Amino acid sequence: MKLIIRILITAVAVVLLAKLLPGIAVESYTTAIIVAIVLGLLNLIVRPILIFLTLPATIFTLGLFLFVINALMILLADSLINGFTVSSFWTALLFSILLTILQSIFYGILGQDNE
């Protein structure tokens, strides 16, 4: 149940950000749910590998390179999902930062712990 709530929270955040940010487009609510699921899977599988491979860059930039990895996850989701488009790397970077902030706010409101 907790996983379903987290997916729905992420989907709502994706829809809100798609309406607010130029350069982000989501065709439907179903597509937003698919984006939430794919982002969750990418963060579970691909992100740890990228963090390990780019560990020197992450250490050298004092962790700021993790923002780049988050933006790459968004761009990878863009390439995997029809109906979800991101116009540029900078839009993906802003989207990933705002998505993290919105998820934290929603989890706080709904009493979900952000693990």
Side-chain angles (χ1 to χ4, degrees):
M1 185 68 177
K2 186 175 181 181
L3 178 63
I4 294 171
I5 292 172
R6 291 170 86 68
I7 290 171
L8 291 176
I9 287 172
T10 303
V12 168
V14 167
V15 169
L16 285 174
L17 289 174
K19 292 188 183 299
L20 293 174
L21 290 175
I24 303 288
V26 178
E27 282 185 4
S28 67
Y29 295 112
T30 306
T31 305
I33 292 172
I34 294 170
V35 169
I37 293 170
V38 169
L39 282 177
L41 289 174
L42 287 174
N43 284 331
L44 182 68
I45 299 167
V46 178
R47 190 171 188 261
I49 296 168
L50 283 178
I51 289 173
F52 178 74
L53 292 175
T54 61
L55 193 59
T58 303
I59 291 171
F60 182 71
T61 62
L62 302 175
L64 292 176
F65 195 74
L66 293 174
F67 288 123
V68 173
I69 292 174
N70 288 342
L72 291 175
M73 292 296 100
I74 300 294
L75 291 173
L76 186 56
D78 171 33
S79 66
L80 293 174
I81 302 168
N82 292 331
F84 175 63
T85 56
V86 180
S87 63
S88 69
F89 171 79
W90 298 108
T91 305
L93 184 67
L94 180 61
F95 179 79
S96 70
I97 292 169
L98 293 177
L99 182 63
T100 303
I101 292 169
L102 267 179
Q103 284 175 326
S104 296
I105 291 169
F106 289 156
Y107 293 152
I109 291 171
L110 295 176
Q112 297 280 320
D113 57 340
N114 195 5
E115 299 172 358

